[in-house]
């Protein structure tokens, strides 16, 4: 585990248990977790295997293919900006692009 200075006991015990339990319940072979607080990474750790049937473990530097998830990330980011009154979404993308 790479708990960085200032991280709480929760990270060392409860978070590991929570992630491992979730991986088991959802049949997830491997995951990488990073926690950022006040703009600083306070925790980073890999859990499980990179690929089912192979011995390589996930670590803090493992890259995952995320497919089309970036569309959902961007949509959520725009919705949050609008909810925080930092932007206004009032027209279609085709009108903005032209």
């Amino acid at each position: 585990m790479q708990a960085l200075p200032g991280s709480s006991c929760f990270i060392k015990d409860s978070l590991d248990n929570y992630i491992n339990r979730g991986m088991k319940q959802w049949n997830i072979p491997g995951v990488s977790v990073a926690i950022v607080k006040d703009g600083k990474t306070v925790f980073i750790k890999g859990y499980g295997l990179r690929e089912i049937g192979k011995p390589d473990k996930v670590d803090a530097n493992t890259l995952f293919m995320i497919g089309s998830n970036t569309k959902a990330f961007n949509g959520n980011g725009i919705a949050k900006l609008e909810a925080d009154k930092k932007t206004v979404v009032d027209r279609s993308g085709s009108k903005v692009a032209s």
Side-chain angles (χ1 to χ4, degrees):
M1 174 186 316
Q2 292 180 346
L4 303 177
S7 61
S8 70
C9 292
F10 172 80
I11 290 175
K12 294 176 186 169
D13 300 321
S14 299
L15 186 59
D16 277 346
N17 291 333
Y18 179 77
I19 291 169
N20 286 315
R21 185 172 56 244
M23 287 175 58
K24 186 175 181 180
Q25 288 174 342
W26 288 83
N27 295 317
I28 297 170
V31 64
S32 186
V33 176
I35 298 174
V36 178
K37 181 179 180 185
D38 299 326
K40 295 181 181 176
T41 304
V42 295
F43 176 82
I44 188 166
K45 181 179 178 184
Y47 297 84
L49 301 174
R50 292 178 181 213
E51 188 174 340
I52 295 173
K54 296 191 177 177
D56 297 332
K57 294 185 178 185
V58 173
D59 63 25
N61 298 307
T62 301
L63 299 178
F64 291 92
M65 293 186 348
I66 62 171
S68 292
N69 287 326
T70 55
K71 293 177 188 101
F73 296 157
N74 287 331
N76 270 337
I78 292 167
K80 177 148 179 42
L81 288 170
E82 184 172 39
D84 293 345
K85 309 274 190 241
K86 294 181 179 177
T87 193
V88 176
V89 180
D90 64 355
R91 55 189 169 172
S92 74
S94 61
K95 290 181 183 176
V96 173
S98 43

